[in-house]
Amino acid sequence: MPGTRDLHGHAWVVETFGGPDTMRWTATVTPAPAPGHARVRVLAAGVGFTDLMARQGDYLLQRKAPFTPGYELVAEVVDYAPSAGDDPRDTAALAPGTLVAAALPKMAAYAEYLNLPAWQLVPLPEGLDPVVAAAVPLDHLTAVSLLETHARVRRGDTLLIQGASGGVGRAVARLGQLAGLRMYGTASAPGAAEQLARYGVTPVDYRTQDFEKVVSAAEPGGVQAVFDHIGGANLGKGYRLLAPGGTLVSYAFTGRPGRMMRDTAVGAARVKLMNLRPGRRTALCMVPNELKADHSWYRDALTRLLALTRDGSLRPAIAATRPLREAADVHQALERREFTGKVVLTTAGH
Ligand SMILES: NC(=O)c1ccc[n+]([C@@H]2O[C@H](COP(=O)([O-])OP(=O)(O)OC[C@H]3O[C@@H](n4cnc5c(N)ncnc54)[C@H](OP(=O)(O)O)[C@@H]3O)[C@@H](O)[C@H]2O)c1
């Protein structure tokens, strides 16, 4: 049974869109959970590039201000209020003290306490470090969506990963390696080529090489999938690299600062129009919507990813661990590109 006491804590709140200084460390009161929800104490929350865009008000799936950023967390269950409609497979393991991971379709992870629907909470395998687990959900669920839901790749298929050195790109590269794929990946960061080679990815430096020329010379028959987070001219070039029946999956668009939402909407419309051409497919990947629409997919995929992390098959690159209290400073440092890899925020409870 849930406790009746309110829990007092803090959360970061973006009060108005803008720079990191628009985030306020704000006192919160978390009441006993409603039926079908668990009240959790957050131990660790991952910081993604998307959090920065949302803080600026420049993100397609934008929350209205005020809101609390953060798509992913690991937490300890404080109490859980069962509901007649709960799937017992989802809720059997929500005893107080259970460690759970979650991706939150509407953000809110930069908080000390939260009430969350039971379906969002996936138990952590025994022995998995909460900090490491907090770096898994968003990037790796995106990778699963790109590879399995949208591109439906099979062992031996060839693909091109744009931004293969980034959070999502690295997750695709590692899962692609486990799935027996042949991969090319664009990147420019120092050391990225060596890191990608370890995943079995052939690196292409997008600053000094034309990726379309490099990949078409190496793969004259085309590739089965291209994953793109840039948009613009990249879309046409990626599409031309596809083998018959291949798929271009777009999961972000680089827009002009302050006009990102509009630029993303235009890019998404273009991807949809391209799909009308026969012979090849295009698709849009939007994981926050996908996990909300299909709870079983989300729970199965996250359970599998956490198990792969527990057995050492996945090793998310964690650039730094910082107290949750320092989230605004972390945003500032990320904007200065001071970190390569995921930053994980931790609370006093961890
Ligand atoms: N659709 C979804 O559901 C979903 C989910 C998660 C994230 N996202 C979005 O996906 C994007 C990437 O996220 P992330 O967390 O992986 O970001 P990230 O860690 O910052 O990585 C982005 C990578 O893009 C590379 N890059 C920059 N310009 C490039 C270019 N012109 N061509 C090729 N690569 C380029 C950079 O590589 P170098 O540093 O090596 O140059 C960087 O490593 C963001 O826009 C994010 O909002 C979407």
Side-chain angles (χ1 to χ4, degrees):
M1 283 304 288
T4 48
R5 255 182 347 111
D6 290 342
L7 292 176
H8 294 264
H10 287 83
W12 280 102
V13 176
V14 174
E15 293 186 339
T16 52
F17 299 131
D21 55 343
T22 60
M23 288 164 67
R24 295 272 175 273
W25 182 243
T26 305
T28 59
V29 178
T30 308
H37 289 66
R39 185 160 52 169
V40 299
R41 185 164 62 98
V42 177
L43 303 181
V47 180
F49 184 75
T50 318
D51 300 347
L52 279 62
M53 290 164 60
R55 193 204 65 229
Q56 289 161 325
D58 232 359
Y59 173 48
L60 188 66
L61 305 178
Q62 186 67 52
R63 299 292 319 274
K64 289 200 175 87
F67 76 99
T68 295
Y71 264 131
E72 57 193 352
L73 57 74
V74 167
E76 180 183 36
V77 175
V78 176
D79 44 13
Y80 158 58
S83 139
D86 285 347
D87 183 334
R89 286 169 306 176
D90 293 352
T91 56
L94 292 179
T98 306
L99 298 188
V100 289
L104 313 182
K106 293 189 170 174
M107 302 197 154
Y110 294 10
E112 290 178 320
Y113 294 101
L114 285 170
N115 270 319
L116 294 173
W119 69 262
Q120 284 175 15
L121 306 175
V122 175
L124 241 57
E126 190 75 31
L128 178 55
D129 181 345
V131 169
V132 176
V136 169
L138 186 64
D139 291 347
H140 293 80
L141 285 168
T142 306
V144 171
S145 167
L146 292 168
L147 289 163
E148 298 178 7
T149 307
H150 295 290
R152 301 173 213 153
V153 292
R154 286 184 299 203
R155 181 166 288 277
D157 279 354
T158 303
L159 55 93
L160 169 66
I161 312 161
Q162 297 287 4
S165 58
V168 174
R170 270 195 315 266
V172 172
R174 179 60 184 138
L175 288 169
Q177 184 179 34
L178 292 173
L181 305 180
R182 298 177 61 244
M183 298 176 282
Y184 296 82
T186 58
S188 77
E194 294 73 22
Q195 183 194 52
L196 293 179
R198 281 198 290 278
Y199 291 137
V201 175
T202 304
V204 182
D205 186 334
Y206 64 84
R207 297 218 174 137
T208 57
Q209 293 173 289
D210 177 338
F211 72 82
E212 186 182 0
K213 276 194 192 148
V214 174
V215 177
S216 61
E219 303 292 335
V223 301
Q224 278 72 42
V226 175
F227 301 145
D228 189 89
H229 68 315
I230 299 292
N234 262 25
L235 293 177
K237 287 160 75 98
Y239 190 88
R240 286 195 292 274
L241 286 172
L242 293 174
T247 311
L248 167 73
V249 194
S250 191
Y251 66 97
F253 300 86
T254 303
R256 292 160 291 179
R259 305 186 66 177
M260 204 84 96
M261 255 204 281
R262 188 186 161 279
D263 290 348
T264 301
V266 169
R270 184 167 163 219
V271 170
K272 284 191 176 161
L273 275 177
M274 287 168 84
N275 198 36
L276 299 176
R277 300 183 203 162
R280 285 142 182 91
R281 289 192 306 123
T282 62
L284 287 167
C285 163
M286 280 195 207
V287 163
N289 290 350
E290 291 169 21
L291 64 93
K292 206 163 47 179
D294 188 344
H295 299 181
S296 302
W297 171 80
Y298 159 69
R299 294 186 62 78
D300 290 351
L302 187 51
T303 302
R304 185 156 47 103
L305 291 167
L306 293 171
L308 286 170
T309 312
R310 173 68 187 84
D311 78 16
S313 301
L314 290 183
R315 286 189 208 92
I318 296 174
T321 306
R322 294 281 185 275
L324 176 63
R325 189 79 170 83
E326 294 176 16
D329 297 337
V330 168
H331 274 217
Q332 221 137 35
L334 282 166
E335 284 180 350
R336 290 194 298 263
R337 293 214 155 261
E338 281 175 23
F339 296 115
T340 318
K342 187 83 133 175
V343 180
V344 176
L345 303 169
T346 56
T347 63
H350 176 254

